[in-house]
Amino acid sequence: MEIQNHDFDSCFPKVKYWGDIVLYQFQGFWFLPRHLQGTKQVLDHFKPLPNDVILASFPKTGTTWLKALLYSVINRASINQLVTNHPHELVPSLEIQVYGRPVANSPPVHFPSNTSSSTRILSTHIPFQILSKTLNSSECRVIYVARNPKDTIISLWHFENSIYLGQKREPQPLEDIVASFCDGSVIFGPYFDHVLGYQKESLERPEKFFFITYEELKSDPNIHVKRLAEFLGCPFVGEDIDEQVKEVVRSCSIETLKKHEVNNSSDVPSWSRVSYKSLFRKGQVGDHMNYLTEDMIKRIDAIRSEKFYGLAATTPIWTVVFGPYFDHVLGYQKESLERPKKFFFITYEELKSDPITHVKRLAEFLDCPFVGEDMEKQVEEVVIMRSCSIETLKKHELAATTPISSLFEASLLVLDVLKLKIAKPTLYLQLFSDPDSRAFTARRPDVSAPRSLVHRKPPPPPWGNSRRVSYCRGNVCHEICSFFTMFSKLLKKTLKFRVFN
């Protein structure tokens, strides 16, 4: 059903965005009229299929790149489609391309029908808070990509100005979009609420929601493309797995995509207000440093801290040891988004679902990757199947006096026992399945030095070249049960420091 502009004025709160552009608020988020119309049509008509793949994102956070990667991972035999088709045509937007017109338009050429057995790949900028009922109505899988908010602002600013200049309007001043971003009144904003909606679901249901940052993907695309393939149920197989992955990454790199004629076209598709070539820019990490002033950065960081650290502060049940729980988790998760080379964030559920993949990721993050032709066997034999399974650990005499309940922690201990050198002077690991948390501190390069396993003590600050690995448990119900079980035992004995040589 078409929504007339006067209906917007009477039904929804509105705010002036820039020039004569007005945003309308719907369920706590801000939309352009055409995006709101498309969103309501999606809510009314879209029925996801069990094998659908939905790419969700805030605008200008790496959506185009992820579209190319997802299409190539799922349709490896048709990867050459990227040469002649723009990624946005191969993975259409629900609220802009599939819907979003006065009357819902016909699906794009490359959009499979509802009766097709092939996997449909769709994208959306609609927040989870609005789309939750639709996404939860089927077993479809959701991938969410987030990006440093400061880089997101700059990319959004350039994109919107390309629209304004094409319409011969005055460009939007940077300070204006920064102010709007911080207030939350940007398209599909507030940004932080948008990110947190999907991020929370990925912690609680990692089998359905895959959360990744643009920065993580840029830092090591090969390993994250393999993770994506495994999450989607189409893992790379064969003796040439690494070559297959490298080919997908190469074909989908921003540099390669920019060379294709279709992506340099000045043609404006019917569903857009800008040309195909305007949908590609630099794709750099840290580009905001070239534009934002120190005051702008401080303001954005202050809002970010408030959003990430301020949750659940007034909820009494979370004021437990080292609580509030959500604030605890989000503090480290925020740093992993900003500095993925320094902070490694993983959930208990992810690790349980695929320990082999994630232990390899951990070893690579720590600069001690498994090497050799029998690499897979090393991981399975030494780190997972034998040495660090919960069943194996429970049999050790040490377990009777010092509980080691974390598969993740035990894997780190084995890495050290095997004297796999880590070329960093100090390594801090904050392992928290709050409150089953431990701070494990190991001194380097002297791997023979004593190590301290300190119960319930926060880690020291990450000075110098240290790195931090953050681990959390996504299921809060399990967390509460685990806490009260632990707390009842804690009352019966005094915590002690233990040193292992």
Side-chain angles (χ1 to χ4, degrees):
M1 178 183 292
E2 181 177 1
I3 304 174
Q4 302 293 338
N5 284 338
H6 62 79
D7 292 331
F8 281 131
D9 289 333
S10 61
C11 297
F12 304 104
K14 62 181 179 178
V15 64
K16 185 176 181 181
Y17 186 46
W18 173 245
D20 58 353
I21 299 174
V22 175
L23 298 181
Y24 293 87
Q25 191 179 54
F26 176 61
Q27 295 188 21
F29 290 85
W30 295 98
F31 297 82
L32 290 170
R34 61 193 181 96
H35 293 159
L36 180 52
Q37 182 165 272
T39 296
K40 291 180 71 66
Q41 289 178 355
V42 170
L43 296 177
D44 290 341
H45 303 294
F46 177 58
K47 308 297 180 186
L49 301 178
N51 61 339
D52 281 352
V53 173
I54 312 295
L55 170 61
S57 64
F58 188 84
K60 311 312 296 178
T61 56
T63 310
T64 304
W65 187 25
L66 262 294
K67 285 186 175 187
L69 284 171
L70 286 176
Y71 183 86
S72 299
V73 167
I74 294 173
N75 302 286
R76 286 167 215 166
S78 305
I79 195 171
N80 60 344
Q81 287 282 350
L82 287 171
V83 177
T84 55
N85 295 278
H86 195 283
H88 285 276
E89 299 292 355
L90 296 174
V91 182
S93 164
L94 282 170
E95 66 273 12
I96 297 174
Q97 291 166 266
V98 180
Y99 301 98
R101 303 296 178 87
V103 177
N105 55 306
S106 299
V109 175
H110 300 284
F111 183 67
S113 67
N114 285 346
T115 59
S116 173
S117 59
S118 61
T119 299
R120 303 189 305 180
I121 317 174
L122 304 160
S123 73
T124 185
H125 292 317
I126 303 174
F128 177 77
Q129 292 88 328
I130 296 175
L131 199 57
S132 58
K133 186 176 180 180
T134 300
L135 294 179
N136 291 333
S137 67
S138 86
E139 296 179 357
C140 65
R141 293 176 181 175
V142 182
I143 293 94
Y144 187 86
V145 58
R147 189 181 186 184
N148 184 320
K150 295 183 282 288
D151 284 344
T152 300
I153 289 175
I154 295 304
S155 186
L156 184 62
W157 178 58
H158 280 288
F159 178 74
E160 291 187 344
N161 275 344
S162 69
I163 298 176
Y164 302 148
L165 292 174
Q167 298 173 347
K168 297 182 179 181
R169 299 184 182 185
E170 287 294 320
Q172 184 180 28
L174 179 57
E175 53 269 24
D176 285 7
I177 194 170
V178 170
S180 296
F181 191 92
C182 291
D183 292 339
S185 54
V186 291
I187 54 173
F188 295 102
Y191 165 84
F192 295 104
D193 294 349
H194 199 293
V195 173
L196 290 172
Y198 285 98
Q199 192 266 347
K200 177 178 177 292
E201 293 304 311
S202 74
L203 290 177
E204 301 216 356
R205 293 185 288 167
E207 74 285 351
K208 182 179 178 69
F209 290 85
F210 184 100
F211 186 96
I212 191 167
T213 70
Y214 184 81
E215 290 76 15
E216 285 176 323
L217 200 53
K218 286 283 285 187
S219 66
D220 194 343
N222 290 356
I223 195 163
H224 292 298
V225 165
K226 284 196 283 188
R227 288 181 62 215
L228 272 172
E230 290 164 0
F231 171 79
L232 295 170
C234 52
F236 293 90
V237 295
E239 297 179 356
D240 61 340
I241 289 178
D242 288 341
E243 291 304 316
Q244 294 179 49
V245 174
K246 288 179 182 178
E247 177 59 23
V248 168
V249 172
R250 186 200 64 79
S251 299
C252 298
S253 69
I254 299 298
E255 294 75 21
T256 299
L257 292 173
K258 281 184 175 181
K259 294 177 183 178
H260 299 327
E261 184 178 350
V262 65
N263 297 329
N264 286 299
S265 172
S266 297
D267 293 343
V268 178
S270 60
W271 47 267
S272 177
R273 296 183 179 182
V274 298
S275 64
Y276 284 120
K277 67 180 181 181
S278 297
L279 298 170
F280 285 94
R281 207 176 73 83
K282 291 182 180 180
Q284 292 180 350
V285 173
D287 191 38
H288 70 271
M289 298 297 293
N290 298 317
Y291 298 92
L292 298 178
T293 65
E294 185 176 346
D295 288 342
M296 290 177 178
I297 291 174
K298 287 181 178 179
R299 183 179 180 187
I300 297 165
D301 287 343
I303 299 294
R304 179 194 62 190
S305 297
E306 178 186 347
K307 288 292 184 179
F308 282 150
Y309 291 120
L311 296 181
T314 59
T315 308
I317 193 170
W318 303 123
T319 56
V320 294
V321 180
F322 292 112
Y325 168 80
F326 291 111
D327 294 0
H328 197 299
V329 173
L330 292 173
Y332 286 99
Q333 193 267 344
K334 180 266 297 183
E335 293 300 326
S336 74
L337 296 180
E338 295 276 325
R339 294 181 284 171
K341 292 184 179 180
K342 185 181 181 71
F343 290 83
F344 182 101
F345 186 92
I346 191 169
T347 69
Y348 178 84
E349 289 77 12
E350 286 177 323
L351 194 59
K352 286 285 286 185
S353 66
D354 191 352
I356 293 176
T357 294
H358 293 300
V359 168
K360 283 195 292 184
R361 288 181 59 215
L362 176 64
E364 291 173 1
F365 173 79
L366 298 175
D367 290 339
C368 55
F370 294 91
V371 295
E373 295 181 356
D374 61 339
M375 180 175 64
E376 297 292 335
K377 186 176 180 180
Q378 290 179 50
V379 179
E380 293 180 6
E381 188 75 10
V382 179
V383 182
I384 303 300
M385 304 307 295
R386 296 280 181 89
S387 301
C388 295
S389 67
I390 299 300
E391 293 72 21
T392 299
L393 290 171
K394 284 182 177 179
K395 297 176 183 178
H396 299 330
E397 182 179 353
L398 178 66
T401 56
T402 304
I404 303 178
S405 61
S406 169
L407 174 64
F408 186 79
E409 179 179 277
S411 299
L412 293 169
L413 288 170
V414 169
L415 288 176
D416 197 47
V417 168
L418 294 174
K419 297 186 184 295
L420 297 175
K421 304 286 185 177
I422 300 176
K424 297 293 174 185
T426 308
L427 172 70
Y428 295 109
L429 303 178
Q430 169 64 27
L431 305 173
F432 58 93
S433 177
D434 188 11
D436 286 338
S437 61
R438 291 159 177 79
F440 174 88
T441 305
R443 296 291 174 185
R444 298 296 193 275
D446 183 7
V447 295
S448 63
R451 301 184 299 277
S452 299
L453 189 62
V454 185
H455 293 258
R456 316 305 189 265
K457 183 177 181 179
W463 297 317
N465 291 325
S466 65
R467 292 184 177 188
R468 183 163 294 178
V469 180
S470 293
Y471 155 82
C472 78
R473 195 164 179 174
N475 191 309
V476 177
C477 294
H478 290 173
E479 203 65 68
I480 297 173
C481 294
S482 177
F483 168 68
F484 284 109
T485 300
M486 178 279 298
F487 194 70
S488 63
K489 294 179 180 178
L490 189 62
L491 294 175
K492 298 178 182 180
K493 62 182 180 179
T494 303
L495 291 175
K496 297 181 180 179
F497 293 99
R498 299 184 184 275
V499 177
F500 302 95
N501 293 316

